[in-house]
């Protein structure tokens, strides 16, 4: 958590476990932990490679807003 009370989330799923819903579950648990604990975070960010369609869908499904798009990545945010 930085001085602006922003948290960055990141996850990586081994290719053996792709397509099993683990990315969504992990991101949901991370949001829940940051929201319930006294971390004092008020916003969560995630940066996703543009070619990672499953992760892009997960962030959108979990109501993250698209903040910025560049050549390689998409930056998402969600207020807590």
């Amino acid at each position: 958590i930085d001085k602006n009370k922003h948290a960055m989330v990141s996850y990586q799923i081994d290719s053996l476990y792709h397509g099993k819903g683990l990315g969504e579950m992990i991101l949901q648990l991370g949001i829940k932990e940051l929201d319930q604990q006294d971390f004092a975070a008020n916003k969560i960010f995630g940066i996703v490679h543009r070619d990672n369609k499953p992760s892009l869908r997960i962030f959108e499904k979990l109501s993250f807003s698209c903040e910025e798009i560049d050549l390689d990545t998409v930056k998402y945010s969600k207020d807590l």
Side-chain angles (χ1 to χ4, degrees), residues 10-72:
S10 178
Y11 63 89
Q12 186 173 3
I13 308 295
D14 186 286
S15 61
L16 293 172
Y17 300 98
H18 286 182
K20 299 185 184 301
L22 295 175
E24 183 177 345
M25 184 173 35
I26 289 167
L27 189 52
Q28 285 175 326
L29 288 170
I31 293 166
K32 185 177 177 180
E33 278 296 308
L34 286 168
D35 198 30
Q36 289 182 350
Q37 301 296 323
D38 189 24
F39 290 114
N42 60 21
K43 189 174 248 189
I44 303 172
F45 288 95
I47 297 175
V48 181
H49 288 280
R50 288 180 67 168
D51 61 350
N52 189 344
K53 304 286 189 221
S55 281
L56 294 171
R57 284 193 299 272
I58 290 169
F59 276 86
E60 291 168 7
K61 181 178 181 180
L62 296 180
S63 302
F64 278 74
S65 299
C66 180
E67 290 269 322
E68 182 180 325
I69 300 173
D70 67 21
L71 291 174
D72 299 320

